[in-house]
Amino acid sequence: MALARNSDSEEHLHSTFASRYVRAVIPRFKMPDNSMPKDAAYQVISDELMLDGNPRLNLASFVTTWMEPECDKLIMESVNKNYVDMDEYPVTTELQNRCVNMIANLFHAPVGEDEAAIGCGTVGSSEAIMLAGLAFKRKWQQRRRAQGLPTDNPNIVTGANVQVCWEKFARYFEVELKEVKLSEGYYVMDPAKAVEMVDENTICVAAILGSTLTGEFEDVKTLNDLLAEKNAETGWDVAIHVDAASGGFIAPFLYPDLEWDFRLPWVKSINVSGHKYGLVYAGVGWIVWRTKDDLPEDLVFHINYLGADQPTFTLNFSKGSSQIIAQYYQFIRLGFEGYKNIMENCMDNARRLREGIEMTGKFNIVSKDIGVPLVAFSLKDSSKHTVFEIAESLRKFGWIIPAYTMPADAQHIAVLRVVIREDFSRGLADRLITHILQVLKEIEGLPSRIAHIAAAAKVSGGEEKTAKMSLEDIAKYWKRLVENKRNIVC
Amino acid sequence: MVLSHAASDSDVSVHSTFASRYVRTSLPRFRMPENSIPKEAAYQIINDELMLDGNPRLNLASFVTTWMEPECDKLIMASINKNYVDMDEYPVTTELQNRCVNMIAHLFNAPLGETETAVGVGTVGSSEAIMLAGLAFKRKWQNKRKAEGKPFDKPNIVTGANVQVCWEKFARYFEVELKEVKLREGYYVMDPEQAVEMVDENTICVAAILGSTLNGEFEDVKLLNDLLVLKNKETGLDIPIHVDAASGGFIAPFLYPELEWDFRLPQVKSINVSGHKYGLVYAGIGWVVWRNKEDLPDELIFHINYLGADQPTFTLNFSKGSSQVIAQYYQLIRLGHEGYRNVMENCRENMIVLREGLEKTGRFSIVSKDEGIPLVAFSLKDNSSHTEFEISEMLRRYGWIVPAYTMPANAEHITVLRVVIREDFSRTLAERLVMDIEKVMHELDELPSRVIHKISLGEVKSEDNGDNMVVTVKKSDIEKPIEIINVKKSDKPIFC
């Protein structure tokens, strides 16, 4: 593309949109040879980004999308602090330690008055889970070696509803994943089935507090009790990790009597996402261990810091300090009372949304009232239209609401899921209901895409299929289009 | 502490923070407080405590970027609430990452066709990048061994003893043996010949560093490549190279474009670089690029369907902020080749100013080379009465954070001070630093020497002849210098 060559000395006069920079092809695969003015660079990028979804209307995600301006200020001020320079930024390091202790206490870790909790800040629950899994794997290996038994086949027992990072952990750290299958109407891990699957090679059982799919809390107490029995019978020492990525900042405030944390003796580590209901922007998670013994020493690297030992155990090294500081801000700014109020608001708004959806008469509510504040719902009749179409149509209004199928063995069920975050007010809930009603009306007017697909399938040589099977085919078709959407929904 | 409830609650919002009760209470440390406090108070309290952190821009210990243009700060703040992993919801952000990967792959001369897309990914830093690269090598090696019916339970990786701690982490967490080529006095990087000697059938790769943490040197990747090619021919093995270009990856292409260290060398299969070092972005971004698809085993990749196209992902982290990826793209198009080259040349110039200033004092030997990362590593010519650690301590009083540390095995008796020259370290700051170092040397000369036993590789000998005093000191005084040195030896993690 020919660039008009205005004299260089006048370049600085041009407003960005008058300059040649908005006529040039934006570099995609190779670095450009020349520099461009910062205003132009800013504008060009900012403009492209307008076409991203609006984070606050992204109802797919649990991850925080709004913080108070005072916190934004703190974030910007610390954006150039490399968190890992403990020696240079001792206050920031201490803020992390304070957060770890506060969270450990929130989870009833058996920590003495002057004792420091064992845990650390991570970039998210993925890193936290990998660290927890690594600790279990190492402990199990040590135990087995001491007994002279083979250590080459570790496995971990979870529900099929686990978030993808458990699959990553299993694949990258060479641990077999033994999944307890779900069933229609029961979308979390069944504790009894889980304990049955446990064997001598099991490094731990992972329970989820706040299943990604339906927001349900798994019954950690029953799991604990059954596991205690099994351990007593077999002499094994299989423990529990609770993936409280979403639920960890909900249960203590809304359901303080629910026993799911370190109050249960077999729970040895817990992870929680600071960036979900910890109410911080993306990029911070926390992992806490019950006691020092649950974290094998040889995984910990010791750094001397201000003359004191600062143990570290993380996969990431350099990273920003902003989110850690933001997490501490939230803890002291909100306190117990503030978090409780926010979670209660979320639950109220979730209830309002649920009622509105039920009132349309077209949906079954798949999520429960107790759990993470979200509403998961499926169509009562999906023979003509699917939830995937509804999701597509809602995009027109700006809403991003994911539709996905359940994992094995309930793949024929497809749901829409709306996550209620702190910044999803009642007004937005009412508006969403209005839009859903509109979409339903519009879709009813359209010819069914499904009949079309089923017809095509028949023509291509398929036999008569039962109603359930064709639903599965349809689900598979859409699933192929949005393959592994589970990965995106977290 | 008793809180006086003088003001009625309705007046609470009227109080300026420093007039309110919030600055009289002790800040919660171990437990979440029961009650909320106003946001202004929360902001002020935290901001005030943080004043006692070091000033990031005077932190000369770190390679990590501490300044960006205000326009970029604006982009960063605007995208702070975007969860990078939501590819479906933020397709433009995802595309920006892909563009960065391609630009970096081309910068490293990856053998890509005109329309071929590069294989690589954005990470949170070089640690994650290295773990991914290591994982890929481990898996490839395992698959090969399985196919050959040979045991695959003892993988190892060959590196220099100068590696950054994340390689040790990788080795420990992913159960790979770390075989380190020891250093020696005067030679502070991995010796390619010794490395190739250590290679065996269980070696998953050899890791070379472009920009050693300790003294900024570039390792001779070309020599390593050539020797490895020979060894592979002899043995029938296929040992590849990974280049840890965390620091050097954004320097070599601009200052030393003729230096062959990247994919131009056939055995180099993957390269990592830190976006947050000389990529000129704030902490929180790294990149790893593979030569081509075959170098990244498919079974490690999770496939997500994105806009109807396959978006393969292979990262350890999942949810994270988008800001740094966008900032990296900003820098790549804002600066371009020309801009990066200018920045690196400025850094190099200022490094030379600092080096010359230090040499002129006559008190220091320069341990770093001119070629390599723009940093100056220097040690005292005579450290019999004072040590580099003391200099480091005293410089803190002026605000400078300049680390001192001992070399790894087998050069532990050498101690250095290291100043990293970043983009935002101007000539005036360089000159001021020299002046302050001179001041510190004067002060130290006045002080009595803290006593020291000559320490040679762990032995503590006390001199006892007519000229040297045998000084009896309290145990704590003896322990201190030894402790400092021992402690600093394991201090590698801080230098990255």
Side-chain angles (χ1 to χ4, degrees):
Chain A
M1 186 183 279
L3 298 175
R5 292 231 170 266
N6 299 312
S7 80
D8 281 336
S9 61
E10 282 170 15
E11 274 224 351
H12 64 280
L13 290 177
H14 294 306
S15 107
T16 300
F17 287 110
S19 77
R20 55 190 172 97
Y21 299 105
V22 297
R23 284 201 305 267
V25 173
I26 199 169
R28 263 166 240 272
F29 289 99
K30 299 198 194 212
M31 272 174 77
D33 285 328
N34 298 98
S35 308
M36 66 158 76
K38 47 200 176 103
D39 329 71
Y42 167 79
Q43 199 65 52
V44 152
I45 293 178
S46 178
D47 289 357
E48 269 210 275
L49 288 174
M50 288 196 301
L51 294 162
D52 264 349
N54 177 349
R56 292 195 53 201
L57 294 181
N58 175 9
L59 305 185
S61 177
F62 296 95
V63 177
T64 296
T65 47
W66 178 89
M67 292 193 87
E68 288 178 318
E70 282 71 10
C71 194
D72 283 351
K73 228 166 124 189
L74 280 173
I75 285 174
M76 219 34 226
E77 284 164 7
S78 57
V79 79
N80 65 348
K81 261 190 209 174
N82 181 3
Y83 169 74
V84 81
D85 286 341
M86 298 181 192
D87 215 47
E88 287 78 0
Y89 311 125
V91 179
T92 303
T93 305
E94 209 193 306
L95 294 192
Q96 188 227 217
N97 292 345
R98 288 183 201 170
C99 287
V100 169
N101 280 285
M102 290 187 179
I103 292 171
N105 270 300
L106 194 64
F107 296 165
H108 303 95
V111 181
E113 265 311 304
D114 292 322
E115 226 183 302
I118 309 286
C120 64
T122 62
V123 163
S125 276
S126 289
E127 185 186 359
I129 279 166
M130 289 187 189
L131 296 176
L134 205 40
F136 278 117
K137 184 183 183 199
R138 196 53 63 93
K139 274 209 98 177
W140 172 83
Q141 283 170 332
Q142 285 168 355
R143 249 191 343 257
R144 298 278 288 179
R145 275 191 206 124
Q147 298 172 315
L149 294 165
T151 61
D152 53 331
N153 267 332
N155 70 57
I156 187 170
V157 175
T158 69
N161 54 328
V162 277
Q163 205 253 14
V164 71
C165 71
W166 285 101
E167 293 172 45
K168 277 187 180 183
F169 166 71
R171 224 186 272 185
Y172 297 165
F173 291 87
E174 290 158 9
V175 174
E176 183 196 347
L177 196 66
K178 291 173 83 166
E179 289 188 338
V180 178
K181 298 270 178 275
L182 314 180
S183 47
E184 183 167 345
Y186 195 88
Y187 301 120
V188 289
M189 176 176 79
D190 182 336
K193 289 203 198 139
V195 174
E196 258 172 70
M197 287 177 108
V198 161
D199 62 29
E200 54 171 340
N201 289 317
T202 303
I203 66 173
C204 81
V205 181
I208 304 183
L209 197 78
S211 168
T212 311
L213 306 172
T214 57
E216 250 182 279
F217 291 166
E218 287 182 356
D219 190 346
V220 192
K221 186 164 194 343
T222 302
L223 178 64
N224 177 83
D225 298 341
L226 291 175
L227 210 49
E229 276 172 27
K230 180 122 187 191
N231 281 333
E233 281 172 28
T234 56
W236 297 333
D237 216 4
V238 182
I240 299 173
H241 172 85
V242 182
D243 176 359
S246 312
F249 276 114
I250 295 175
F253 305 109
L254 291 184
Y255 314 109
D257 297 325
L258 180 72
E259 281 180 36
W260 64 273
D261 52 16
F262 293 120
R263 283 169 284 180
L264 302 170
W266 283 102
V267 172
K268 304 298 186 187
S269 50
I270 301 176
N271 69 281
V272 66
S273 285
H275 54 225
K276 292 180 183 133
Y277 291 93
L279 306 177
V280 181
Y281 295 127
V284 64
W286 302 95
I287 172 86
V288 191
W289 282 271
R290 189 186 197 86
T291 64
K292 287 177 64 165
D293 300 315
D294 298 300
L295 180 52
E297 230 347 84
D298 71 332
L299 291 175
V300 180
F301 283 80
H302 288 267
I303 297 181
N304 183 280
Y305 147 63
L306 294 186
D309 176 52
Q310 174 80 23
T312 92
F313 173 40
T314 54
L315 297 179
N316 297 295
F317 194 60
S318 290
K319 62 191 179 193
S321 310
S322 296
Q323 281 89 347
I324 306 267
I325 293 171
Q327 179 78 85
Y328 185 69
Y329 172 92
Q330 291 291 54
F331 283 162
I332 71 165
R333 154 54 171 151
L334 295 170
F336 207 89
E337 142 186 68
Y339 269 95
K340 185 151 170 276
N341 288 338
I342 289 173
M343 300 312 152
E344 278 170 357
N345 286 351
C346 288
M347 282 317 231
D348 271 350
N349 289 328
R351 205 168 300 130
R352 168 73 188 132
L353 183 64
R354 196 195 75 245
E355 284 164 2
I357 289 173
E358 274 172 327
M359 267 196 320
T360 66
K362 305 279 184 166
F363 297 106
N364 293 324
I365 304 295
V366 173
S367 49
K368 309 268 189 293
D369 264 357
I370 305 230
V372 175
L374 59 81
V375 186
F377 50 105
S378 57
L379 276 168
K380 283 185 176 164
D381 171 15
S382 38
S383 56
K384 296 212 188 57
H385 297 283
T386 66
V387 292
F388 295 98
E389 291 175 62
I390 297 181
E392 258 184 66
S393 302
L394 279 169
R395 284 253 190 175
K396 280 187 354 245
F397 295 97
W399 302 107
I400 299 172
I401 297 180
Y404 53 90
T405 51
M406 291 300 208
D409 282 325
Q411 305 94 314
H412 54 291
I413 307 286
V415 299
L416 285 154
R417 184 192 77 182
V418 174
V419 177
I420 310 298
R421 291 192 299 275
E422 170 189 16
D423 59 343
F424 186 78
S425 60
R426 167 84 177 236
L428 289 179
D430 286 343
R431 194 165 280 282
L432 175 57
I433 294 168
T434 310
H435 287 154
I436 289 177
L437 284 167
Q438 242 175 294
V439 162
L440 282 173
K441 240 199 265 162
E442 285 172 22
I443 281 187
E444 241 121 71
L446 292 173
S448 158
R449 292 194 208 180
I450 295 176
H452 181 76
I453 294 163
K458 247 197 202 161
V459 163
S460 65
E463 339 75 61
E464 274 297 319
K465 300 186 178 188
T466 60
K468 179 176 174 195
M469 269 178 74
S470 59
L471 272 177
E472 265 184 44
D473 288 340
I474 289 155
K476 268 198 211 125
Y477 166 77
W478 285 102
K479 191 173 184 194
R480 248 186 294 122
L481 282 189
V482 289
E483 187 70 72
N484 281 347
K485 218 154 187 318
R486 219 154 44 106
N487 291 349
I488 298 180
V489 187
C490 67
Chain B
M1 187 179 281
V2 176
L3 299 175
S4 59
H5 289 279
S8 70
D9 282 337
S10 62
D11 288 341
V12 164
S13 59
V14 162
H15 292 307
S16 106
T17 300
F18 287 111
S20 78
R21 55 190 172 94
Y22 301 106
V23 297
R24 285 202 303 268
T25 56
S26 162
L27 203 56
R29 264 163 237 273
F30 290 99
R31 282 174 199 270
M32 272 174 79
E34 273 302 312
N35 299 98
S36 309
I37 65 176
K39 49 200 175 99
E40 298 79 14
Y43 168 80
Q44 199 65 52
I45 291 170
I46 295 178
N47 179 69
D48 291 358
E49 268 210 276
L50 289 174
M51 288 195 303
L52 294 162
D53 265 346
N55 176 349
R57 292 196 52 201
L58 294 181
N59 175 9
L60 304 184
S62 177
F63 296 95
V64 177
T65 297
T66 46
W67 179 89
M68 292 193 86
E69 287 177 319
E71 282 71 11
C72 195
D73 283 353
K74 232 166 120 186
L75 279 174
I76 285 174
M77 233 20 235
S79 59
I80 196 113
N81 65 350
K82 263 191 209 171
N83 181 2
Y84 169 75
V85 81
D86 286 341
M87 298 181 191
D88 216 46
E89 288 78 358
Y90 311 124
V92 178
T93 302
T94 305
E95 209 193 306
L96 294 192
Q97 187 227 217
N98 292 345
R99 287 184 203 170
C100 287
V101 168
N102 280 284
M103 289 187 181
I104 292 172
H106 276 108
L107 192 64
F108 296 163
N109 298 292
L112 293 171
E114 263 314 302
T115 48
E116 221 182 309
T117 46
V119 183
V121 74
T123 62
V124 162
S126 276
S127 288
E128 185 185 359
I130 279 165
M131 290 187 190
L132 296 176
L135 203 40
F137 280 121
K138 185 183 181 197
R139 196 54 64 92
K140 267 206 104 177
W141 174 84
Q142 281 173 331
N143 291 341
K144 201 161 128 240
R145 298 282 287 182
K146 274 188 204 146
E148 292 169 357
K150 298 202 185 130
F152 50 91
D153 55 327
K154 288 199 141 41
N156 70 57
I157 187 169
V158 174
T159 69
N162 56 328
V163 276
Q164 205 255 10
V165 70
C166 72
W167 284 101
E168 294 173 44
K169 279 189 178 180
F170 165 72
R172 222 186 273 187
Y173 298 163
F174 290 87
E175 290 158 8
V176 174
E177 184 196 346
L178 195 66
K179 293 174 83 166
E180 288 188 340
V181 177
K182 298 272 176 276
L183 314 180
R184 53 183 187 274
E185 181 165 349
Y187 194 89
Y188 302 120
V189 289
M190 176 174 80
D191 183 336
E193 285 171 10
Q194 287 183 24
V196 174
E197 259 172 70
M198 287 176 107
V199 156
D200 61 31
E201 54 172 339
N202 288 317
T203 303
I204 66 175
C205 81
V206 181
I209 304 184
L210 197 77
S212 170
T213 311
L214 305 172
N215 63 357
E217 241 182 286
F218 289 167
E219 288 182 355
D220 192 344
V221 192
K222 184 164 196 338
L223 182 57
L224 177 66
N225 178 82
D226 297 342
L227 291 174
L228 211 47
V229 164
L230 286 175
K231 177 118 187 188
N232 284 336
K233 241 196 245 153
E234 286 171 22
T235 56
L237 297 171
D238 194 13
I239 315 282
I241 298 173
H242 173 86
V243 182
D244 176 0
S247 312
F250 274 110
I251 295 178
F254 305 109
L255 289 185
Y256 313 105
E258 306 305 320
L259 180 71
E260 281 181 37
W261 65 273
D262 53 15
F263 293 120
R264 282 169 284 180
L265 302 170
Q267 285 305 110
V268 172
K269 305 298 185 189
S270 51
I271 301 175
N272 70 281
V273 64
S274 284
H276 55 223
K277 290 178 185 135
Y278 291 94
L280 307 177
V281 181
Y282 295 127
I285 178 117
W287 301 94
V288 59
V289 190
W290 283 271
R291 189 185 196 85
N292 52 47
K293 291 174 61 176
E294 282 75 48
D295 296 301
L296 180 52
D298 209 55
E299 71 222 56
L300 292 174
I301 304 177
F302 284 79
H303 289 268
I304 297 182
N305 184 281
Y306 145 65
L307 295 185
D310 176 52
Q311 173 81 23
T313 91
F314 174 39
T315 54
L316 298 179
N317 297 295
F318 195 61
S319 290
K320 62 190 181 196
S322 310
S323 297
Q324 281 89 347
V325 172
I326 292 171
Q328 178 78 85
Y329 185 68
Y330 172 92
Q331 292 289 54
L332 290 172
I333 71 165
R334 152 50 170 156
L335 295 170
H337 267 269
E338 163 191 18
Y340 270 95
R341 197 170 48 242
N342 288 339
V343 168
M344 300 310 152
E345 277 170 2
N346 285 353
C347 289
R348 192 157 185 277
E349 284 298 312
N350 290 329
M351 181 258 302
I352 290 177
V353 165
L354 181 63
R355 178 175 60 59
E356 286 172 353
L358 290 171
E359 278 172 329
K360 265 223 288 252
T361 67
R363 312 286 295 266
F364 300 104
S365 337
I366 306 294
V367 173
S368 51
K369 312 264 190 299
D370 265 1
E371 312 295 305
I373 310 294
L375 60 82
V376 184
F378 52 104
S379 55
L380 281 166
K381 283 185 177 164
D382 170 13
N383 58 2
S384 56
S385 38
H386 295 286
T387 67
E388 288 83 354
F389 294 101
E390 291 175 64
I391 298 181
S392 172
E393 259 183 65
M394 299 190 74
L395 277 171
R396 284 252 190 176
R397 279 193 1 241
Y398 294 92
W400 302 105
I401 299 172
V402 177
Y405 53 90
T406 51
M407 290 301 206
N410 289 328
E412 302 98 320
H413 55 292
I414 307 286
T415 308
V416 296
L417 288 151
R418 184 191 76 185
V419 173
V420 177
I421 312 296
R422 290 192 299 275
E423 171 189 18
D424 59 345
F425 186 77
S426 60
R427 166 112 178 205
T428 29
L429 288 180
E431 287 171 351
R432 188 166 282 280
L433 177 58
V434 172
M435 282 191 317
D436 287 346
I437 288 178
E438 281 170 342
K439 276 194 217 150
V440 163
M441 295 309 293
H442 281 314
E443 288 175 30
L444 278 181
D445 286 340
E446 316 280 309
L447 289 177
S449 129
R450 295 194 204 181
V451 160
I452 307 179
H453 294 258
K454 284 253 185 291
I455 293 169
S456 53
L457 291 179
E459 277 180 35
V460 177
K461 295 186 290 200
S462 51
E463 306 261 308
D464 182 11
N465 65 39
D467 288 337
N468 289 338
M469 289 194 342
V470 173
V471 182
T472 23
V473 288
K474 292 202 291 283
K475 186 175 186 207
S476 55
D477 284 347
I478 298 175
E479 306 271 89
K480 202 160 179 215
I482 301 174
E483 212 174 71
I484 290 169
I485 289 174
N486 282 344
V487 145
K488 288 298 179 178
K489 208 162 41 139
S490 65
D491 233 351
K492 272 205 282 184
I494 297 184
F495 308 112
C496 66

